[in-house]
Amino acid sequence: MRKLRGFTVLIFTVLAALALLTVLAAMPDRLVFEGGERYTFYVGNTSKNCRVVSCAAAEAGLTRLTLQDVCGESATFSDLDIDGFLKSVNGKIMFTEEMSDSVNYYCTADLPYSVNVKNFNINLHICVRKDGVTVGSPIIFGGY
């Protein structure tokens, strides 16, 4: 009986370790953007009922893994090579908006989320400001 109990504990421990390794391996792959300093996830099924969940980069993988109904995501960078970033996601700028404190690029790219803006299927929004760059898919909801 004691051997059976020990074997059961060993099997349970091995399975728990494998589950943990699987989760840890999947966490970085769940993020749309890599290398951000801060991440925001948009949860809900429309922008009207969208809930915003923000976290530091170190928590982003685990935070994303715990969320359901994610309808978009954004990441902030202190500095970003826009041309290189666009190439990495096969992005193309569809139109630009210049504001007093920022320039916004609305793009198509190989990203999972999309929304219709000005009759374009947009799934990448890049906001460039003096203090950094925010990228979002499909767009950056809320303030940026």
Side-chain angles (χ1 to χ4, degrees):
M1 189 68 158
R2 188 175 254 175
K3 287 183 181 182
L4 182 60
R5 179 179 276 165
F7 182 71
T8 303
V9 169
L10 176 65
I11 293 297
F12 178 76
T13 303
V14 169
L15 290 175
L18 287 173
L20 179 62
L21 289 174
T22 302
V23 167
L24 291 174
M27 283 188 337
D29 293 337
R30 297 290 310 258
L31 299 176
V32 172
F33 305 110
E34 295 179 14
E37 297 161 16
R38 186 144 189 85
Y39 286 82
T40 300
F41 303 98
Y42 309 110
V43 181
N45 55 17
T46 65
S47 62
K48 186 177 181 179
N49 75 349
C50 190
R51 180 172 61 100
V52 176
V53 178
S54 296
C55 63
E59 304 161 2
L62 184 58
T63 299
R64 172 61 180 94
L65 203 59
T66 63
L67 297 172
Q68 294 181 6
D69 297 327
V70 174
C71 62
E73 172 177 331
S74 67
T76 59
F77 302 83
S78 57
D79 187 42
L80 183 68
D81 171 17
I82 303 294
D83 290 330
F85 176 76
L86 284 170
K87 286 179 185 173
S88 74
V89 295
N90 195 27
K92 179 180 175 187
I93 298 171
M94 303 310 289
F95 66 94
T96 304
E97 289 182 340
E98 292 191 36
M99 304 177 110
S100 63
D101 63 346
S102 63
V103 178
N104 290 276
Y105 303 96
Y106 294 86
C107 314
T108 61
D110 291 338
L111 296 172
Y113 309 105
S114 66
V115 66
N116 190 295
V117 180
K118 294 185 179 183
N119 292 320
F120 291 103
N121 189 29
I122 301 299
N123 60 357
L124 174 62
H125 176 188
I126 303 171
C127 177
V128 179
R129 301 173 61 120
K130 286 182 183 179
D131 61 347
V133 178
T134 300
V135 297
S137 180
I139 61 172
I140 305 163
F141 295 108
Y144 48 86

